[in-house]
Amino acid sequence: MTSTDVRHTPARAAGRVPDQDSGRALERAAESPRSAVWLAAWPVTAVFVLSNAATPLYVVWQREFGFSAGTLTVVFAAYIVGLLGALTVAGVLSDRIGRKPVLLPALGLAALACVVFATAQSVVALGLARLLTGIAVGATVSAGMAAVADVAGPARKRLAALSASSAMVLGAGLGPMLAGVLSETVPGPTTTVFVIEAVLLATAFVVVYRIPLAPARRAAAGTAGTPGGRLRIASVPTANRRQLLLGIAVFAPGITATSFVLSLGPSLLAGLLGTSSRIVAGSTAFVMFAAATGVQFAVRRLAVRTTLPAGAAAVVVAMAALIGAVQLASAPLLFLAAMLAGAGQGLGQLGGLTLLGATVPRERAAEANAALNVGGYVPAGLLPVSVGYLSDAVGLRTGATLFAVALIAAAVAAVALVLADRAATEQF
């Protein structure tokens, strides 16, 4: 039987025989230099620059369009809606049809979001831009992070988790810093940053197009999709559900804390601390995500059983600092809260990705990434919106305090959960 005949046997068509091209690509990945892994993470960074680039600009749009803090959090949450919608299918789809067919359209949607942001004349346009951004980010979180793991190869799973996770938070911090500085130093305060971001996305498109990625493995019925080939909502194999639960338990409070700072941080700065500087707002977000990036490099050799409780503890201290900041109108405490919130997200994200990367089969890697992010972004969307409308009724100081108390409780529960199930993290 020729090699051509082997490719078209019924067993291969059903996905029961490993794909030879996929295997060869994985072998090449194992021999690729470390720099190739970091290059593969660039599209993740480029898309996440867009994810938070609008943060310092909301005060400008609020002044122009005249909307409340509640409406602001709804605009912010439109991103979460798009992201969750993409996460529910993009991970499974990426595992079935390949990384590039998911990533390239995602970059196109991100570029379209730049156009809508740059030309926005209403709250509806801002909501649409945020929705498109969320879809692009959801697809990139799923397929982009899995692509990094593919390039890293099976022998460098921890490097893959570190590069993908740090690329995400680095981009998330660069976006608001660029927007804040550019909006106050160059013409077009709500336009220039999105023009630059479009250029960054173009370079990411080239990277995705050129990096060597294994073709999708055809899954057997009931693995990458439901019987009959239909897609399902992102999940993980039964054997990995404990690891997924532990990752979500810590990642969710961390990313909810950073989402609060992103959505209502500028309002806190303006209303409680008396500054409307977009540079200060952007720099606060950058410092937060710089902490998220730096802490991951600092703990990259630590075991997950240490990383996860440390992430939850960072959220507890961050929320205590937030309470102090709003009660005392203290800018230093607010900056401290932002840094610790970033550290909490970074530690929870790295711990969760490491657990899943070490245990979930490659053919479900993107789906596992999606499931982790769904678990984190649901509270990250719901709680800030609730606090936004609550703050319209009772004041930003009271709303922020109640939010901090709720997140402290969630983080303490996460520590208890991780410590009670040490067996699930013992090997990592």
Side-chain angles (χ1 to χ4, degrees), residues 26 39 75 108 176 315 319 322 345 365 422:
L26 287 175
L39 180 63
V75 171
V315 173
M319 293 301 98
L322 177 62
Q345 177 185 332
R422 302 282 283 188

Side-chain angles (χ1 to χ4, degrees), residues 11-12 16 19 56 63 146 200 272 280 283 290 335 351 367 378 398 423:
R12 180 167 297 284
R16 292 188 293 271
D19 188 286
R63 185 169 62 248
L200 298 181
L272 299 179
V280 172
S283 297
F335 296 145
E367 184 182 357
V378 167
T398 301

Side-chain angles (χ1 to χ4, degrees), residues 25 28-29 32 36 100 147 150-151 207-214:
R28 289 195 301 271
S32 63
K100 291 185 181 182
D150 289 350
V151 172
V207 169
V208 171
Y209 186 79
R210 293 181 62 87
I211 57 175
L213 291 174

Side-chain angles (χ1 to χ4, degrees), residues 310-415:
V315 173
V316 170
V317 182
M319 293 301 98
L322 177 62
I323 292 173
V326 298
Q327 296 299 327
L328 302 174
S330 168
L333 282 177
L334 182 60
F335 296 145
L336 176 63
M339 289 179 62
L340 290 170
Q345 177 185 332
L347 291 167
Q349 182 174 295
L350 179 61
L353 286 174
T354 302
L355 276 180
L356 295 178
T359 58
V360 174
R362 173 192 166 265
E363 59 268 21
R364 295 188 66 177
E367 184 182 357
N369 292 341
L372 175 68
N373 281 278
V374 167
Y377 275 104
V378 167
L382 293 177
L383 280 179
V385 170
S386 301
V387 172
Y389 278 103
L390 179 64
S391 298
D392 286 341
V394 301
L396 193 53
R397 178 178 282 108
T398 301
T401 299
L402 293 175
F403 169 84
V405 170
L407 221 54
I408 286 173
V412 169
V415 172

